[in-house]
DNA sequence: CTGTTAGCGCTTTCAC
DNA sequence: GTGAAAGCGCTAACAG
């Protein structure tokens, strides 16, 4: 086991004290140029790097950010993670990634674990179960410990922290309005995520637009994302005469497309489809899905920026803000 | 800033020495039961948790594993990551996740950074650029430092470490043989990842089977995954009379399906399609894609198991092994 | 200019 | 049974 070289060993070999070596490596003006050179030379010879643990223990900064995600197999969160990683690595931060699998219990455990691992801050999207139970004490502890938290997408009003969200209601309104303008009269909203705060906002937005148009009607289908989902959506499409579908999540939208094929409905001639998603399925569906893009990468990058900025430029008495990332309606073949 | 409670504070408040408190918390038999009880009581009152940094500095173990991935937006790697996370969290490990974006330079930087952050071990899939350049000194350093590394999927023979791979050649043979048995005569292999070791193995497997059947011929198409990819595959499908396609990656396979629709070829009547993938696209393609599943989650879980086992039960003179995770041909509508 | 010292929070050996 | 002391590797105030 070849051990990594330490200040102590460099000091010994150079016949200097540990502190002189330490200062030299920081090019401290107190130290003679000659010594500085000698130190640097030996240090780079041994490829010396300070032990991050020791530095962290001393400084109580770990340059590490805890990321709490409900899922990772969902492309949205994968994209957010990618955005976060890209952004924080620019500033020399590392990410500890935890996946709660939508479980409240795991979320609590992970938050505690990372807190005691001294992460400098958190970026969090709440688990579904947490949103349903609405128990948030684990985050209040962080607040008390003065650990910065940024929440994104799945946020809670009960926690006073910076947030980065998508304007789901607005996005939904735009999507429905677009369908209405195209002439849709009977619009279905299909969701597999009805428990989530974001789904509620999307539904609300849809209802609002429809309520202002007496010629347009709305019908809802909420299904669980299980094996029977395809059959359920198929039945729904057969039993209801509709001319447009807004899928509140990618799965709902793509299955709608596939089941429409199966039933012989032409897209977009017989039925237009829009889905909330940043996912790959949309691009590779046939026909290509018109989507409400949540700009997942940007969302992640923005959350990361806000956190890193807060960590690097220590802000006293920071007033938490909620930032809204704009969505865009990306029009593709399924409505065109 | 409410600071976390330390042994020192507990000791002071209990009028005990730090070491007595420390031992009490470990229920050391040296300490009287009465003291142990007093200590535990106050500790849980303050919700004391040992400072992970200090413990790590002392023990040179961080309970942290470095994960180096080429991509995360690729569903295969997302699944592997999920498998790893699930597995390591069972044993109280955390993961530091780094995404190289297929860049050699970033890979080197990340490996160094995590090494100096004292991760206990690594789980790695090589970046494409690293595989092309075949420069692996950054891993040799880990070997020298005695940091365990597990490579998966994108591995290198030059590094002597545990590996978990998929038997790509065998899997490819099985897929082609299946097509041949179904009566395919002119089979195309389409890839967007020809530089990767795995793609080479898959191609080799395909060739081998075809070479043993003089009634069957093989034709290759290698494309870059850029904007023009769809047009390129469309042209290829039009210009060549083929009755089956093996896509060496999900993108190739799914685009083949979509372009077949566009050209009016019926799947699987006119053309059968198989793809290497664990992704979602396959399940939501129309018709559903027959796939060679690489069991990504299992791959990740296995790599994690091997590493955790090595870390927790310190193995002297461990002889590196290469473990092969079985693939399976999952037959769906695109060949049936 | 360089070195001594204390301390971050913990574990562990050795004394009492 | 309990406590003192050293040390993990580093930084920084203070001496010289």
């Amino acid at each position: 086991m070849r051990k990594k070289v330490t200040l102590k060993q460099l000091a010994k070999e150079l016949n200097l004290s540990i502190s002189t070596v330490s200062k030299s490596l920081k090019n401290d003006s107190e130290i003679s140029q000659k010594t500085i050179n000698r130190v640097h030379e030996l240090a780079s010879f041994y490829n010396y790097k300070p032990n991050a643990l020791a530095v962290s223990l001393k400084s109580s900064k770990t340059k590490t950010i805890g990321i709490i995600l409900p899922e990772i197999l969902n492309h949205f969160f994968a994209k957010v993670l990618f955005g976060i990683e890209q952004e924080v690595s620019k500033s020399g931060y590392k990410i500890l990634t935890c996946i709660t699998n939508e479980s409240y219990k795991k979320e609590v455990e992970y938050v505690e674990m990372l807190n005691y691992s001294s992460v400098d801050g958190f970026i969090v999207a709440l688990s579904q179960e947490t949103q349903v139970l609405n128990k948030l004490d684990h985050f209040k502890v962080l607040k008390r410990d003065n650990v910065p938290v940024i929440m994104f997408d799945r946020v809670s009003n009960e926690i006073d922290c910076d947030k980065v969200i998508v304007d789901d209601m607005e996005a939904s309104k735009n999507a429905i309005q677009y369908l209405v303008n195209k002439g849709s009269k009977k619009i279905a909203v299909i969701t597999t995520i009805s428990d989530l705060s974001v789904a509620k906002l999307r539904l609300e937005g849809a209802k609002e637009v429809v309520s202002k148009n007496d010629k347009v009607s709305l019908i809802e289908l909420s299904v669980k994302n299980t094996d029977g989902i395809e059959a359920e959506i198929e039945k729904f499409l057969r039993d209801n005469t509709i001319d447009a579908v807004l899928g509140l999540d990618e799965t709902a939208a793509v299955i709608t497309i596939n089941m429409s094929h199966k039933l012989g409905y032409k897209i977009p001639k017989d039925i237009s489809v829009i889905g909330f998603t940043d996912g790959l399925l949309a691009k590779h569906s046939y026909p290509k899905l018109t989507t409400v893009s949540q700009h997942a990468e940007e969302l992640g990058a923005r959350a990361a920026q806000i956190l890193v900025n807060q960590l690097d430029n220590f802000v006293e008495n920071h007033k938490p803000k909620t930032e809204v990332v704009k969505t865009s309606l990306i029009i593709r073949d399924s409505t065109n």
Side-chain angles (χ1 to χ4, degrees), chain A:
Chain A
M1 170 83 86
R2 204 195 79 104
K3 300 261 301 176
K4 286 167 202 158
V5 66
T6 66
L7 284 187
K8 200 179 182 176
Q9 293 160 55
L10 293 180
K12 192 162 139 206
E13 195 154 334
L14 290 162
N15 264 315
L16 290 170
S17 74
I18 292 177
S19 54
T20 304
V21 175
S22 172
K23 287 175 191 161
S24 299
L25 287 169
K26 302 195 159 44
N27 297 315
D28 190 316
S29 60
E30 271 183 336
I31 310 291
S32 75
Q33 194 56 51
K34 197 172 146 223
T35 306
I36 291 187
N37 292 341
R38 283 179 64 215
V39 172
H40 272 107
E41 200 169 330
L42 195 70
S44 72
F45 173 72
Y46 280 125
N47 192 25
Y48 168 82
K49 294 269 170 32
N51 179 313
L53 288 171
V55 175
S56 295
L57 181 59
K58 193 98 243 282
S59 65
S60 350
K61 298 207 177 313
T62 54
K63 281 271 182 183
T64 301
I65 293 171
I67 314 290
I68 310 281
L69 301 178
E71 298 180 61
I72 185 69
L73 299 182
N74 180 325
H75 204 67
F76 172 73
F77 289 111
K79 276 189 147 176
V80 171
L81 182 62
F82 183 65
I84 293 173
E85 208 270 353
Q86 293 291 295
E87 191 63 34
V88 301
S89 67
K90 285 185 202 161
S91 320
Y93 282 83
K94 305 171 282 298
I95 55 172
L96 275 168
T97 311
C98 295
I99 300 155
T100 63
N101 252 320
E102 306 285 11
S103 146
Y104 166 74
K105 182 159 163 283
K106 280 206 118 187
E107 187 176 293
V108 174
E109 283 171 13
Y110 278 137
V111 168
E112 283 182 356
M113 173 168 99
L114 294 192
N115 191 23
Y116 280 98
S117 301
S118 307
V119 296
D120 293 344
F122 282 86
I123 297 178
V124 178
L126 296 174
S127 82
Q128 177 163 357
E129 198 183 355
T130 305
Q131 288 207 319
V132 172
L133 299 174
N134 198 29
K135 295 205 281 189
L136 296 152
D137 286 352
H138 46 310
F139 293 110
K140 294 189 178 136
V141 171
L142 297 182
K143 192 81 201 163
R144 205 189 51 193
D145 284 359
N146 237 293
V147 182
V149 176
I150 316 283
M151 291 193 169
F152 73 90
D153 194 59
R154 309 243 203 110
V155 304
S156 165
N157 290 329
E158 315 228 334
I159 302 296
D160 187 38
C161 66
D162 282 289
K163 288 162 198 161
V164 184
I165 55 169
V166 154
D167 189 345
D168 284 284
M169 190 144 78
E170 182 69 18
S172 187
K173 286 189 199 172
N174 292 341
I176 297 284
Q177 190 61 57
Y178 167 82
L179 290 172
V180 169
N181 293 348
K182 286 234 135 207
S184 301
K185 301 276 182 254
K186 282 210 73 176
I187 303 176
V189 170
I190 304 185
T191 173
T192 76
I193 52 169
S194 54
D195 283 339
L196 298 180
S197 53
V198 293
K200 290 173 184 152
L201 291 168
R202 291 170 195 171
L203 183 57
E204 205 178 320
K207 282 182 175 163
E208 196 172 315
V209 172
V210 169
S211 72
K212 290 188 182 137
N213 284 276
D214 34 321
K215 287 188 188 114
V216 180
S217 69
L218 196 74
I219 174 169
E220 297 168 42
L221 174 66
S222 165
V223 287
K224 295 281 163 241
N225 195 346
T226 57
D227 280 346
I229 184 173
E230 305 207 334
E232 209 166 339
I233 291 180
E234 183 184 351
K235 180 171 177 348
F236 175 84
L237 291 175
R238 193 170 353 152
D239 294 353
N240 296 276
T241 40
I242 53 187
D243 50 19
V245 170
L246 175 64
L248 298 193
D249 52 283
E250 183 168 57
T251 310
V254 171
I255 293 181
T256 298
I257 287 189
N258 290 345
M259 292 304 108
S260 297
H261 287 143
K262 197 167 168 189
L263 293 169
Y265 305 163
K266 297 282 174 240
I267 298 171
K269 200 169 137 284
D270 302 331
I271 189 168
S272 298
V273 185
I274 299 185
F276 270 81
T277 174
D278 271 330
L280 278 180
L281 292 182
K283 283 196 198 87
H284 290 288
S285 66
Y286 186 79
K288 291 197 169 76
L289 182 65
T290 290
T291 59
V292 178
S293 168
Q294 300 145 89
H295 299 268
E297 282 183 43
E298 191 189 330
L299 206 74
R302 207 43 209 129
Q305 272 169 20
I306 294 171
L307 182 56
V308 166
N309 176 52
Q310 224 171 105
L311 294 174
D312 281 351
N313 318 304
F314 185 62
V315 199
E316 196 68 62
N317 276 331
H318 169 70
K319 197 91 179 274
K321 290 201 195 70
T322 294
E323 189 166 312
V324 178
V325 169
K326 280 265 164 286
T327 58
S328 30
L329 189 63
I330 299 179
I331 295 167
R332 299 212 190 79
D333 304 337
S334 72
T335 56
N336 216 10

